[in-house]
């Protein structure tokens, strides 16, 4: 459910993997072209191309999910190629496309309108991608079996073999019924639950797809539309995640009393019902961290006298998910106001230097908090620059009046 809630270690390893694969592949291709008789280079190509081919195959897998969903009348609010930290993202009309740090997994969020939420549509979407991987693998193995690769350059032949092996493996992984380490269920696990006609699974599936739409609306800053959508969802008042979405929307719209009400409600529902009220594969601790971060931010905006509760909530969120941009932003802003001023400024400087926030409102808040920090340290030139950037991104930023 939350791609930002993956472990930081995956991100670090993913970046190293990209560097090794790309550098290694470059050297091996150069060696294979300049020293075509040296078998060592072909061994290197086989080893180092594995990761690149794996990422290309995962990209194909996710695109098939996307295409099949669109053909059946659904939407894909978010498509992620890779896992871990965000490297780059952009919007098309209805979809956020993301490139993430580790090329070892992909995620496609799917949402069908209420009248199209039949099991067979989900089955087609889930099964189609793995079957395409199988067809690629079979095609590659047939080319090898009939010796069709003999007439090709040896380098191309190596890639065909690697493509066959990788896609066969992806087919196995996709249809193997298990929960992936990041908390996401595999295609096979979801297919199995649909075939069992598990009503509880369907309820969580539909809840997850509603939240996927909400996630996309948040990322695009469409908060009024988000409120209308959430309030149209069945039993949203009993869902902590739906309430949390409303809280975040009301924060951004400046309706802080309503935001605090929904924040307390979402935390109460989570503590009462635990995992039973979350979509398939969600982490209670990760969701709790996000809820407490939202609570801390609401209290911060309200200039609450309950600073202890605010700091404790923000600290819990930061200790559990210290790589999430929204959580870093809240923790840094509260540090500037109530704690370590230099630490808060340093965190925000690193955050704005990434230039990767999807929502301009969030970027504006970061620059405004940074301007507050600069004012407190008497760096007036830096304060004016940060304030100007905040105004340019969002002239109605809710933190501007504090500068």
């Amino acid at each position: 459910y939350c791609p930002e809630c993956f472990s930081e270690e995956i991100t670090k390893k993913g970046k190293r993997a990209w560097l090794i694969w790309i550098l290694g592949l470059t050297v091996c291709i150069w060696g294979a072209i300049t020293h075509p008789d040296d078998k060592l280079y072909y061994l290197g190509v086989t080893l180092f191309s594995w990761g690149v081919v794996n990422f290309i195959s995962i990209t194909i897998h996710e695109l098939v999910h996307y295409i099949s969903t669109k053909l059946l009348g659904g939407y894909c609010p978010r498509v992620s190629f890779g896992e871990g930290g965000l490297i780059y993202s952009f919007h098309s009309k209805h979809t956020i496309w993301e490139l993430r740090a580790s090329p070892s997994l992909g995620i496609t969020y799917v949402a069908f309108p209420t009248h199209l939420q039949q099991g067979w549509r989900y089955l087609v979407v889930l099964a189609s991608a793995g079957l395409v991987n199988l067809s690629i693998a079979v095609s590659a193995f047939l080319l090898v079996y009939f010796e069709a690769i003999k007439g090709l350059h040896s380098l191309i032949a190596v890639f065909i073999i690697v493509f066959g092996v990788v896609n066969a493996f992806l087919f196995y992984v996709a249809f193997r019924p298990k929960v992936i380490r990041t908390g996401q269920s595999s295609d096979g696990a979801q297919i199995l639950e649909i075939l069992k006609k598990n009503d509880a699974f369907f309820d969580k599936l539909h809840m997850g797809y509603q939240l996927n739409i909400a996630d996309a609306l948040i990322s695009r800053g469409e908060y009024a539309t988000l409120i209308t959508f959430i309030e149209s969802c069945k039993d949203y008042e009993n869902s902590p995640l739906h309430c949390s979405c409303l809280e975040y929307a009301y924060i951004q719209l400046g309706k802080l009393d309503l935001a605090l009400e929904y924040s307390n409600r979402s935390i109460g529902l989570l503590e009462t019902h635990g995992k039973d009220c979350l979509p398939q594969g969600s982490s209670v601790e990760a969701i709790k961290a996000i809820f407490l971060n939202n609570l801390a931010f609401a209290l911060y905006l309200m200039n609450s006298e309950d600073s202890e509760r605010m700091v404790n909530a923000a600290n819990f969120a930061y200790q559990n998910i210290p790589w999430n941009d929204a959580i870093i932003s809240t923790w840094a802003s509260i540090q500037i106001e109530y704690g370590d001023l230099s630490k808060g400024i340093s965190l925000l400087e690193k955050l704005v230097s990434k230039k990767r926030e999807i929502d301009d409102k969030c970027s504006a808040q970061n620059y405004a908090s940074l301007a507050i920090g600069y004012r407190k340290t008497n760096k007036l030139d830096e304060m004016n620059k940060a304030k100007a950037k905040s105004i340019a991104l969002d002239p109605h930023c809710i933190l501007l009046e504090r500068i």
Side-chain angles (χ1 to χ4, degrees):
Y1 167 68
C2 175
E4 295 287 359
C5 300
F6 301 164
S7 75
E8 190 175 31
E9 196 60 30
I10 291 175
T11 299
K12 290 178 180 177
K13 289 180 178 178
K15 289 179 179 177
R16 286 198 296 266
W18 272 115
L19 182 62
I20 292 170
W21 281 325
I22 291 171
L23 289 177
L25 184 60
T26 302
V27 170
C28 292
I29 291 175
W30 173 81
I33 293 172
T34 57
H35 300 79
D37 296 326
D38 194 331
K39 294 181 180 179
L40 181 62
Y41 284 113
Y42 289 104
L43 176 61
V45 169
T46 302
L47 294 174
F48 287 114
S49 66
W50 186 275
V52 176
V53 169
N54 185 60
F55 179 73
I56 293 171
S57 301
I58 285 173
T59 299
I60 293 170
H61 182 98
E62 301 308 326
L63 287 174
V64 173
H65 279 317
Y66 172 81
I67 292 168
S68 59
T69 301
K70 297 290 282 185
L71 290 174
L72 291 172
Y75 304 92
C76 294
R78 187 185 297 267
V79 180
S80 292
F81 304 115
E83 63 180 331
L86 184 67
I87 294 175
Y88 178 73
S89 70
F90 69 94
H91 289 92
S92 61
K93 186 175 181 180
H94 296 295
T95 305
I96 301 166
W97 300 87
E98 298 177 336
L99 176 64
R100 293 187 173 270
S102 178
S104 53
L105 186 70
I107 301 173
T108 299
Y109 292 172
V110 177
F112 281 104
T114 303
H115 67 285
L116 296 179
Q117 289 184 357
Q118 292 100 3
W120 71 267
R121 295 178 192 273
Y122 294 133
L123 287 174
V124 171
V125 170
L126 290 166
S128 58
L131 292 175
V132 167
N133 288 129
L134 178 63
S135 66
I136 292 173
V138 170
S139 299
F141 294 147
L142 286 175
L143 288 174
V144 174
Y145 180 78
F146 290 109
E147 300 185 349
I149 63 173
K150 275 193 172 181
L152 302 174
H153 189 283
S154 299
L155 191 61
I156 297 174
V158 169
F159 270 96
I160 290 173
I161 294 170
V162 173
F163 256 108
V165 175
V166 167
N167 278 275
F169 178 72
L170 286 179
F171 168 75
Y172 165 74
V173 170
F175 279 87
R176 182 186 178 193
K178 65 172 292 187
V179 174
I180 303 169
R181 63 183 179 279
T182 54
Q184 296 284 343
S185 298
S186 69
D187 295 347
Q190 295 184 61
I191 288 171
L192 190 61
E193 294 297 334
I194 292 171
L195 292 175
K196 287 179 181 176
K197 297 183 178 180
N198 185 335
D199 290 339
F201 173 80
F202 266 103
D203 288 342
K204 289 194 173 186
L205 197 67
H206 294 160
M207 182 201 302
Y209 292 154
Q210 289 171 359
L211 293 166
N212 291 342
I213 294 175
D215 178 55
L217 291 172
I218 287 173
S219 297
R220 291 198 289 264
E222 299 177 15
Y223 302 115
T225 305
L226 171 66
I227 291 169
T228 302
F229 170 73
I230 291 294
E231 290 180 345
S232 71
C233 296
K234 183 181 178 182
D235 295 330
Y236 77 90
E237 292 182 333
N238 297 319
S239 164
L241 285 166
H242 287 72
C243 290
S244 182
C245 290
L246 284 174
E247 177 219 357
Y248 188 77
Y250 283 125
I251 284 176
Q252 298 303 326
L253 293 173
K255 299 179 179 181
L256 301 180
D257 290 337
L258 280 171
L260 189 60
E261 177 187 333
Y262 278 106
S263 176
N264 288 322
R265 185 183 296 179
S266 63
I267 293 169
L269 287 168
L270 181 65
E271 290 176 345
T272 303
H273 300 291
K275 205 162 189 173
D276 292 337
C277 62
L278 300 179
Q280 191 79 6
S282 297
S283 164
V284 174
E285 285 301 304
I287 299 300
K288 184 178 180 180
I290 293 169
F291 286 0
L292 287 174
N293 179 71
N294 292 344
L295 171 66
F297 192 53
L299 292 170
Y300 168 70
L301 293 175
M302 296 178 73
N303 287 314
S304 172
E305 295 181 358
D306 194 354
S307 58
E308 183 179 356
R309 186 186 184 197
M310 180 197 315
V311 172
N312 288 341
N315 182 55
F316 179 91
Y318 186 69
Q319 293 300 320
N320 281 273
I321 315 179
W323 53 88
N324 179 281
D325 287 355
I327 288 174
I328 294 170
S329 175
T330 301
W331 178 242
S333 299
I334 289 175
Q335 286 297 300
I336 287 172
E337 198 72 37
Y338 301 98
D340 189 333
L341 182 60
S342 60
K343 180 180 180 180
I345 292 173
S346 176
L347 286 171
L348 281 175
E349 286 176 338
K350 290 178 182 177
L351 194 58
V352 299
S353 69
K354 294 178 182 179
K355 298 179 180 178
R356 75 182 193 195
E357 290 92 349
I358 296 172
D359 183 0
D360 284 348
K361 283 182 176 288
C362 295
S363 297
Q365 289 164 13
N366 289 335
Y367 277 112
S369 292
L370 195 53
I372 294 168
Y374 287 144
R375 175 176 56 78
K376 289 190 172 187
T377 54
N378 205 31
K379 296 179 179 179
L380 300 184
D381 288 341
E382 287 87 343
M383 179 197 77
N384 289 327
K385 289 177 182 177
K387 182 179 178 180
K389 288 181 178 178
S390 179
I391 293 171
L393 288 165
D394 180 14
H396 307 291
C397 177
I398 52 183
L399 291 176
L400 284 173
E401 62 184 25
R402 292 196 178 192
I403 300 175

